[in-house]
Amino acid sequence: ENEIEVIQSKGLLADVVNHLHLYAPVSEQRSFKTVSAYTSSPVIIVVEKFNNYRETKKVPFTYNANNSTVLVGRSTYPLNTFVSTPFGSLKFAPNPRYIGGGSNQFFFELQTPKAVINSIAARLTVLASSKQSSIIDLSFKDEIPQRGEDIVNDLLSTYNTAAINDKNALAKNTLNFIDERLKYVKHDLDSIERKIEKFKARQGAVDISTEGKLYLESVSANDQKLSEVNLQIAVLDQVERYVLAKDKAEGVVPATMGVNDPMLSRLVERLYNAELEYESLKKTTGENSPILLSLSNQIQKIKPGILENIQNQRRSLLASRSNLASTNGAYSSALQRMPQKERQLIDINREQGNKNEIYNFLLQKREETALSHAATVSDSRIVDRAQSSDSPVSPKRKVVYFSSLLLALFSGIGIVMGKETLSRKIMFRHEVENMTDFPIIGEIAAEATKNPIVVGEGKKTFIAEQFRKLRATLSYMGINSSTKKKILVTSSISGEGKSFIATNLALSLAITGKKVALLDFDLNNPSLNNKLSVSKQIGITEYLKGECKIEEIIKATDLHKHLFLVPTGELPDNPAELIMSGGVEELLNYMTANFDYVVIDTAPVGPVTDAYLLSPLCDATLFIVRHNYTPKTLVGRIDLNNRINKLSNMAIVFNGITTRGYSNYSYGYGYGYGNVYGYVDNKKTTKFLGASKN
């Protein structure tokens, strides 16, 4: 998990952005779209300095291959040279990934590195291949395969370089310490050699006696030991200063060379590794992270151990140095008996020997440290370099096409359902059933024809079959050709198709061989005489006024020999009062006695009261409700109005049901018609669909 966070860190991504110059993308303008020119542009843009770090949008440029120049606006710039532009200090360099194929209609944009880093981080996915594995999988989404591969490969290279640099930090600090000590020792050696040269030039050569040689050898041996002790004390001082000063400022980690105690070396190494891990985790985790707190406690526990070890060794070394100093004092007393010149020369030679040994020792340690530094390798390796997929991972064409189809489908459904839901008109059968207790005994589909007559002998249309079903359903209301014959047809408002229903229902009854009378009792807006092409010179109005006899107003029709029409006649000024006269009951009694069925078309109940006056004289009332036409408020008031002004034996006919969906036979907004059956004639088979509640 730590390495995954390191790989995704903004610091590494910033290095990738700078290496690949992703802050200045180059694009190519084509006929209908703009595409990236990562591999088609002959040049790339290197930014040395932004002008106020402002983003720049679409700066067109043209590359001239003949003289290797770039034209931006009216200014011409050479390649491989930082130049001052209105956008900052830029350099146009050859594109190492150029493969050709560009249209030379290029433009570049300058983006802030922070924005580019955030964009890369959002498209980069770093996951462990499994819970037990130490392998990390990286995936990156980019519109240009080559650029995506370069980003992933450069990110891994930067990650490995950073890991090696962290491991080499100890070796670098040791080399710095040794180089610093070598400068001091070399300076001391130069001073001693000049001192010997001056002494010999001034005093001449001095012969050392046998006794002097013995003392000199003993003193040299002690001095060598004393130098080693002093060197160890110096190293301990350096280590102590490093440990004590690390919390306040960055220090150089010294090598514990010359110190014979391996425990101190291990403690210093543990301290350095702990601090290195602490600094690495601090970049990716919060300061209150349990891991950071644990490492901080571990560091604080190691430091006292190092300091205690240093104090113990220092006491031991100081004791040894004191012992050696006393021994050297004895030897010095003996040497005092030697000639002064000889003693001076011996002292100088002894100092020179000590410095030479220290210098050689430091050179040896420097080579060993440099060798370990050069041999450092990363703990991780790249199993497979980045490879782009053969086909785009996003967007997937099939998914886009399928989603578009679904969106179009559901959008259409949503629009239709929204219009239906927000409509104030009756759209569904269940709306009628929820608003009134009266039954729906028939459904009549809308017919795409201007002919008001849709029923006839030999007609095998779907709507003709619906009228046959309505005819059969009349028995449910008790209508028959012997006792209950009178059927009143009305509606809420004009235009709901009551005259259409009355005409075709009467014709449907006449086709069965029954004698049917169709009365046009709409004394306000009659229309049956036009539908049946019958003259209306005299009719119901004239009869009720006593101007003619019943036989004179009964007209035969051309539709069927058993269908007769009683027209309205002239429109009266007082239709309601005319209906309330005793002539209506006498007329209906005559019709009942001479016809098998009497169908009465009357005015709507909304604007006038004619239907309420006629309904008590009839055996059944068909109330017409038209799909997508009748207001819901009027249907909701049917029960209330019927309690005040009762319509006898009332039932509802749902008229004008239009197609819903994609099927030519799917009528009724919520009702599917299945159970296909047909009639067979000599030429073809015509299929009808029986209504069934869906």
Side-chain angles (χ1 to χ4, degrees), residues 437-477:
D437 294 332
F438 292 103
I440 298 176
I441 64 168
E443 295 177 340
I444 306 300
E447 180 75 3
T449 178
K450 295 183 179 180
N451 187 1
I453 307 302
V454 296
V455 176
E457 287 188 286
K459 281 195 174 184
K460 300 178 181 179
T461 61
F462 176 68
I463 192 170
E465 181 63 23
Q466 288 183 311
F467 273 103
R468 293 187 182 99
K469 296 186 66 174
L470 177 61
R471 180 186 64 194
T473 313
L474 292 177
S475 60
Y476 165 78
M477 304 178 68

Side-chain angles (χ1 to χ4, degrees), residues 20 40 66 125 146 209 231 287 374 401 412 441 581 586 651:
L20 301 179
S40 60
N66 295 327
T125 303
Q146 181 63 44
S209 63
L231 178 62
E287 293 182 357
Y401 293 153
I441 64 168
S581 65
E586 181 182 352

Side-chain angles (χ1 to χ4, degrees), residues 323-577:
N323 186 26
L324 290 173
S326 62
T327 303
N328 278 348
Y331 288 148
S332 298
S333 299
L335 288 174
Q336 287 178 359
R337 295 190 295 269
M338 296 181 180
Q340 184 177 1
K341 295 180 181 180
E342 185 177 3
R343 186 176 65 251
Q344 290 177 355
L345 182 59
I346 291 173
D347 290 340
I348 296 174
N349 289 333
R350 181 181 61 188
E351 185 178 1
Q352 182 185 28
N354 291 336
K355 294 297 182 182
N356 276 328
E357 290 180 0
I358 294 174
Y359 188 77
N360 291 332
F361 176 78
L362 290 175
L363 286 177
Q364 180 183 357
K365 291 298 181 182
R366 186 181 187 282
E367 293 301 320
E368 292 176 356
T369 305
L371 182 62
S372 65
H373 180 271
T376 302
V377 295
S378 175
D379 290 336
S380 61
R381 72 180 183 90
I382 299 175
V383 179
D384 286 317
R385 295 185 65 81
Q387 293 183 354
S388 59
S389 58
D390 295 332
S391 58
V393 297
S394 178
K396 296 184 180 297
R397 292 188 177 183
K398 293 183 179 179
V399 175
V400 172
Y401 293 153
F402 184 70
S403 300
S404 301
L405 290 175
L406 289 181
L407 179 61
L409 176 63
F410 286 109
S411 297
I413 294 175
I415 292 173
V416 172
M417 294 184 65
K419 291 176 64 177
E420 293 172 353
T421 303
L422 299 176
S423 175
R424 298 182 179 180
K425 308 296 180 61
I426 291 295
M427 302 295 295
F428 302 93
R429 171 171 177 153
H430 68 80
E431 293 177 337
V432 180
E433 293 174 336
N434 293 336
M435 293 179 180
T436 178
D437 294 332
F438 292 103
I440 298 176
I441 64 168
E443 295 177 340
I444 306 300
E447 180 75 3
T449 178
K450 295 183 179 180
N451 187 1
I453 307 302
V454 296
V455 176
E457 287 188 286
K459 281 195 174 184
K460 300 178 181 179
T461 61
F462 176 68
I463 192 170
E465 181 63 23
Q466 288 183 311
F467 273 103
R468 293 187 182 99
K469 296 186 66 174
L470 177 61
R471 180 186 64 194
T473 313
L474 292 177
S475 60
Y476 165 78
M477 304 178 68
I479 299 299
N480 53 63
S481 60
S482 56
T483 57
K484 295 184 178 182
K485 306 177 179 183
K486 300 182 291 296
I487 305 170
L488 180 69
V489 181
T490 187
S491 64
S492 298
I493 56 177
S494 177
E496 293 179 285
K498 58 180 183 55
S499 299
F500 169 76
I501 298 295
T503 303
N504 287 279
L505 177 60
L507 181 57
S508 178
L509 292 169
I511 292 173
T512 62
K514 302 296 183 180
K515 190 176 180 181
V516 181
L518 177 60
L519 279 65
D520 191 353
F521 249 103
D522 190 348
L523 303 181
N524 295 277
N525 186 24
S527 61
L528 293 183
N529 59 299
N530 294 329
K531 290 182 174 64
L532 302 181
S533 300
V534 175
S535 174
K536 64 171 185 176
Q537 291 181 354
I538 59 173
I540 295 176
T541 301
E542 286 71 20
Y543 168 74
L544 294 180
K545 289 181 178 181
E547 298 176 358
C548 63
K549 297 181 179 180
I550 295 178
E551 293 82 358
E552 297 178 10
I553 64 174
I554 300 176
K555 310 290 184 179
T557 65
D558 296 333
L559 295 179
H560 199 276
K561 62 182 180 179
H562 292 152
L563 178 62
F564 297 87
L565 173 66
V566 178
T568 303
E570 295 297 326
L571 296 181
D573 296 331
N574 54 347
E577 289 76 9

Side-chain angles (χ1 to χ4, degrees), residues 161-318:
T161 301
I164 293 175
N165 291 338
D166 289 342
K167 293 185 65 178
N168 286 336
L170 178 60
K172 286 183 179 180
N173 292 338
T174 303
L175 282 175
N176 292 335
F177 170 75
I178 294 175
D179 289 338
E180 183 180 356
R181 295 296 300 171
L182 280 173
K183 291 179 182 179
Y184 292 120
V185 175
K186 184 177 180 181
H187 181 269
D188 292 344
L189 278 176
D190 291 340
S191 299
I192 293 172
E193 289 175 354
R194 286 193 295 269
K195 186 176 180 181
I196 292 175
E197 182 180 357
K198 290 179 181 180
F199 180 82
K200 288 185 177 182
R202 185 175 64 252
Q203 302 294 339
V206 179
D207 294 330
I208 302 176
S209 63
T210 304
E211 183 179 3
K213 291 181 180 180
L214 294 175
Y215 280 114
L216 181 59
E217 291 175 358
S218 299
V219 170
S220 298
N222 284 342
D223 286 341
Q224 181 179 355
K225 294 179 181 179
L226 187 60
S227 298
E228 293 177 358
V229 170
N230 289 331
L231 178 62
Q232 293 183 44
I233 291 175
V235 171
L236 292 176
D237 292 338
Q238 291 286 341
V239 174
E240 185 177 32
R241 284 195 295 272
Y242 167 76
V243 173
L244 293 176
K246 187 61 180 175
D247 291 336
K248 299 179 180 179
E250 183 177 2
V252 177
V253 180
T256 56
M257 55 184 181
V259 179
N260 298 326
D261 188 2
M263 180 61 70
L264 179 60
S265 300
R266 288 195 294 270
L267 289 174
V268 172
E269 184 178 0
R270 286 181 56 194
L271 176 62
Y272 173 75
N273 291 334
E275 290 177 339
L276 180 62
E277 185 177 0
Y278 180 87
E279 292 298 327
S280 177
L281 287 176
K282 189 176 180 181
K283 298 177 182 178
T284 58
T285 59
E287 293 182 357
N288 295 326
S289 170
I291 299 178
L292 283 179
L293 295 177
S294 175
L295 285 174
S296 178
N297 294 334
Q298 182 180 351
I299 291 171
Q300 297 303 321
K301 290 180 181 179
I302 293 174
K303 287 184 177 181
I306 295 176
L307 295 176
E308 183 179 0
N309 186 288
I310 291 173
Q311 294 298 329
N312 293 335
Q313 291 195 55
R314 183 183 284 115
R315 285 193 294 269
S316 176
L317 292 173
L318 290 175

Side-chain angles (χ1 to χ4, degrees), residues 619-678:
D619 300 311
T621 303
L622 298 182
F623 196 93
I624 310 303
V625 175
R626 184 174 177 179
H627 165 260
N628 199 23
Y629 186 86
T630 304
K632 293 180 181 179
T633 54
L634 296 182
V635 176
R637 292 164 57 185
I638 290 177
D639 290 358
L640 177 62
N641 292 337
N642 199 60
R643 285 196 291 269
I644 300 173
N645 299 301
K646 188 175 181 60
L647 295 175
S648 62
N649 194 17
M650 192 181 86
I652 295 174
V653 176
F654 198 15
N655 183 36
I657 302 173
T658 57
T659 303
R660 186 188 197 201
Y662 299 101
S663 171
N664 292 332
Y665 298 103
S666 297
Y667 293 97
Y669 276 75
Y671 295 86
Y673 295 87
N675 304 324
V676 177
Y677 62 95

